[in-house]
Amino acid sequence: MTGTMPHHLNLVDGEWVDGERRANHNPARPGEVVSEYALADRDTARAAIEAARRAQPGWARQPVAARMEILDRIGATLLRRTEELAVLLAREEGKLLAEARGEIVRAGQTFRYYAHQLLQPQGEVYSSTRPNVHAEVRRRPLGVVGIITPWNYPLAIPAWKVAPALAHGNTVVLKPAELVTASAGELARIVAEAGTPPGVFNLVMGAGRVVGEELLTSTAVDGVSFTGGTGTGAHVARQCIAHGNKRFQLEMGGKNPLVVLDDADLEVAVRCALDGSFFSTGQRCTASSRLIVQANIHDRFVAALATAVSALRVGDPLDPRSDLGPVVSPEQLAQNLDYVRIGRDEGATVVAGGEHHPDEGQFMRPTLFTDARNTMRLAREEIFGPVSCVIRVNDLDEAIDVAGDTDFGLSAGIVTTSLSAAERFKRDARAGIVTVNLPTAGTELHLPFGGTGASNHGPREQGGYARDFYSVPVTCYTGW
Ligand code: NAD
């Protein structure tokens, strides 16, 4: 390791803990090391869990004003350091600088939002059916929460889990994805420097099957909040049930449909499809990966979208002329290209992109397929890259059927000028998030977020709904 290389350590009980060093590379310039991180082992993870256990009662008893102040300070620091953190995030994960800025701002606002959520009512009072009895429902913290996060929103997802967890009096052990440990390490510094008592927030970096597994199997952990792939999520669920029947919350993959009806404004439809399918290099769980298009508008839509997709500039995320950054890792790039081959073999037609971008770096040209059918693997499996496919349908009924014919159910959109079609879609689309004349991706921090089917298990995240996971209702009867 070089002495000047930026590095990030694990945070356990208020102490920075070193370990074997691993390097993370810039996906736009694979030769460039962004930072190094200290790999945690199972003992470090265990120590973090024990520290969180010890710190939890004290943290929960802190006056609300003290917890608010700390959360507010974390939010303010994220907002103040937006530019610097956005450059780091763009270099580490590969999203455009503008998108990275938006993510840091979102993370900062999320901490501030949960600071103020603490002033909302935290329980309910009921009439008792018995004389001289007072009945109320109070909330107590869940306890020690293990938080396991993916690489595609290195700050926003940890923020929308850590902030409500701390707000509701829980202590946290965060296990971020290995690819984005610099962002997580910076978050840990900010949380520690905001005055969080030792053990309240702990960071352990390393492989899921090592440190992640410790969070799942430890009976000292009361709940696990996980975001990531559906296969990993199923494993998380099994382990949480097997080891202490602990509470778990899973947000997983998507294969999100965007329906375009004949009466759609073509410009709006192309804008929604372009953004939803390809922005952030398609690496969003809410990305539109199935474009379900009615017959009369089909050819015009495909022609306009293919032109727009071909015009997207793929390049370095720090270059303001780039529309699309790199794919996050060589493995993800290989998987994306594999799906392009699978789609071709299944009989779908590439009308834009379809290949590796010639520049050095993990770049891929955004790829649009037509002639897809909903039974193809191309239309059923989450690719998680800049690849989308057009499926032709005859009418709204068929569009709703095809949109809902998926194992997933995170987000679903429709582009239409018909109020009744929009209302029917909102009623019938099988998804946790429905958009009308907007991209399927793009959510707001004060509204609930989550899916149905294989996309979700457990209570919703974000907004006031986060309380349902991070606190436990206690029904109290008081005789007087
Ligand atoms: P992943 O499932 O590979 O990893 C997610 C996290 O789980 C990582 O921190 C990883 O180290 C950890 N992990 C892996 N094996 C583990 C184990 N045995 N025990 C404990 N932890 C383990 O997902 P990824 O590749 O990082 O992220 C991409 C996936 O995340 C996509 O499927 C995407 O749709 C999904 N995602 C979903 C949402 C949502 O809110 N629904 C948001 C973003 C990403």
Side-chain angles (χ1 to χ4, degrees):
M1 114 94 232
T2 58
T4 52
M5 176 59 62
H7 62 269
H8 295 93
L9 305 181
N10 300 291
L11 179 61
V12 178
D13 206 10
E15 302 287 333
W16 297 103
V17 178
D18 212 339
E20 191 188 318
R21 296 282 175 94
R22 286 285 154 87
N24 270 343
H25 297 260
N26 181 343
R29 304 155 191 259
E32 180 186 307
V33 174
V34 176
S35 75
E36 291 184 337
Y37 68 97
L39 201 59
D41 56 17
R42 270 190 110 117
D43 286 343
T44 313
R46 218 168 282 141
I49 294 167
E50 282 162 13
R53 184 87 267 156
R54 285 193 301 275
Q56 198 274 325
W59 177 244
R61 280 197 296 268
Q62 289 248 359
V64 159
R67 293 212 299 267
M68 275 183 75
E69 204 176 299
I70 288 174
L71 290 173
D72 207 44
R73 214 176 286 141
I74 298 168
T77 309
L78 284 163
L79 293 173
R80 184 170 42 77
R81 291 181 53 193
T82 295
E83 198 56 32
E84 166 213 344
L85 293 171
V87 171
L88 180 68
L89 200 164
R91 287 177 62 231
E92 177 171 63
E93 196 266 358
K95 68 180 61 177
L96 296 185
L97 187 55
E99 292 173 330
R101 272 190 204 110
E103 178 167 347
I104 310 294
V105 169
R106 170 64 66 98
Q109 288 171 341
T110 299
F111 275 97
R112 291 195 132 174
Y113 172 82
Y114 283 105
H116 294 276
Q117 268 286 310
L118 286 174
L119 299 183
Q120 296 299 312
Q122 301 297 330
E124 299 122 45
V125 174
Y126 286 81
S127 306
S128 171
T129 54
R130 291 174 283 175
N132 298 342
V133 171
H134 173 72
E136 69 193 302
V137 179
R138 304 166 66 114
R139 295 251 161 198
R140 70 168 157 72
L142 177 56
V144 174
V145 182
I147 291 180
I148 301 178
T149 50
W151 48 261
N152 67 329
Y153 283 99
L155 271 168
I157 294 180
W160 82 50
K161 293 177 188 290
V162 171
L166 296 181
H168 288 289
N170 303 281
T171 51
V172 166
V173 180
L174 170 65
K175 205 300 281 173
E178 299 92 301
L179 288 172
V180 291
T181 43
S183 300
E186 289 302 321
L187 177 65
R189 275 185 201 163
I190 291 169
V191 173
E193 285 167 14
T196 318
V200 168
F201 172 87
N202 304 273
L203 173 73
V204 288
M205 299 179 284
R209 64 180 187 287
V210 181
V211 280
E213 206 63 39
E214 188 61 36
L215 292 176
L216 306 183
T217 53
S218 167
T219 48
V221 172
D222 298 293
V224 172
S225 180
F226 166 86
T227 298
T230 301
T232 318
H235 174 76
V236 170
R238 283 192 297 273
Q239 293 290 67
C240 286
I241 292 168
H243 298 272
N245 201 19
K246 58 177 79 77
R247 185 182 279 202
F248 56 93
Q249 170 184 57
L250 314 173
E251 286 300 342
M252 300 169 283
K255 194 71 192 177
N256 310 294
L258 177 74
V259 170
V260 178
L261 293 186
D262 282 344
D263 62 26
D265 178 323
L266 185 63
E267 211 177 292
V268 173
V270 170
R271 205 178 330 121
C272 289
L274 197 68
D275 174 328
S277 300
F278 301 107
F279 288 6
S280 301
T281 319
Q283 298 175 152
R284 293 187 285 190
C285 50
T286 47
S288 322
S289 42
R290 293 181 297 143
L291 306 172
I292 299 168
V293 184
Q294 204 174 351
N296 282 340
I297 199 172
H298 178 277
D299 292 356
R300 279 179 295 137
F301 172 77
V302 167
L305 182 59
T307 304
V309 173
S310 303
L312 289 174
R313 263 200 294 227
V314 178
D316 192 307
L318 300 181
D319 182 342
R321 291 166 304 177
S322 302
D323 297 309
L324 233 64
V327 173
V328 73
S329 66
E331 294 76 21
Q332 184 67 50
L333 177 60
Q335 179 179 307
N336 296 349
L337 294 170
D338 227 31
Y339 272 107
V340 172
R341 182 188 53 72
I342 290 167
R344 282 196 168 109
D345 289 351
E346 287 178 311
T349 311
V350 171
V351 290
E355 70 271 354
H356 182 224
H357 192 273
D359 282 2
E360 190 227 357
Q362 291 142 206
F363 294 108
M364 176 177 176
R365 290 199 195 280
T367 299
L368 181 65
F369 278 95
T370 56
D371 304 322
R373 287 188 313 279
N374 203 46
T375 48
M376 293 176 174
R377 286 182 64 191
L378 179 67
R380 301 208 77 80
E381 297 172 17
E382 186 185 47
I383 301 172
F384 220 57
V387 181
S388 195
C389 64
V390 178
I391 301 168
R392 187 196 294 254
V393 291
N394 290 314
D395 53 28
L396 176 61
D397 287 332
E398 189 185 351
I400 289 174
D401 284 349
V402 171
D405 178 15
T406 171
D407 293 338
F408 298 102
L410 184 51
S411 124
I414 190 166
V415 186
T416 179
T417 50
S418 157
L419 186 57
S420 67
E423 287 302 318
R424 264 207 59 199
F425 194 74
K426 285 192 269 183
R427 188 190 67 191
D428 295 338
R430 212 176 56 79
I433 300 162
V434 177
T435 65
V436 179
N437 296 327
L438 288 171
T440 55
T443 60
E444 300 185 26
L445 67 89
H446 59 303
L447 294 172
F449 177 88
T452 58
S455 296
N456 165 277
H457 185 96
R460 288 280 180 268
E461 298 202 85
Q462 302 199 49
Y465 282 65
R467 190 179 75 165
D468 292 341
F469 182 74
Y470 293 106
S471 69
V472 180
V474 182
T475 309
C476 304
Y477 299 101
T478 309
W480 55 277

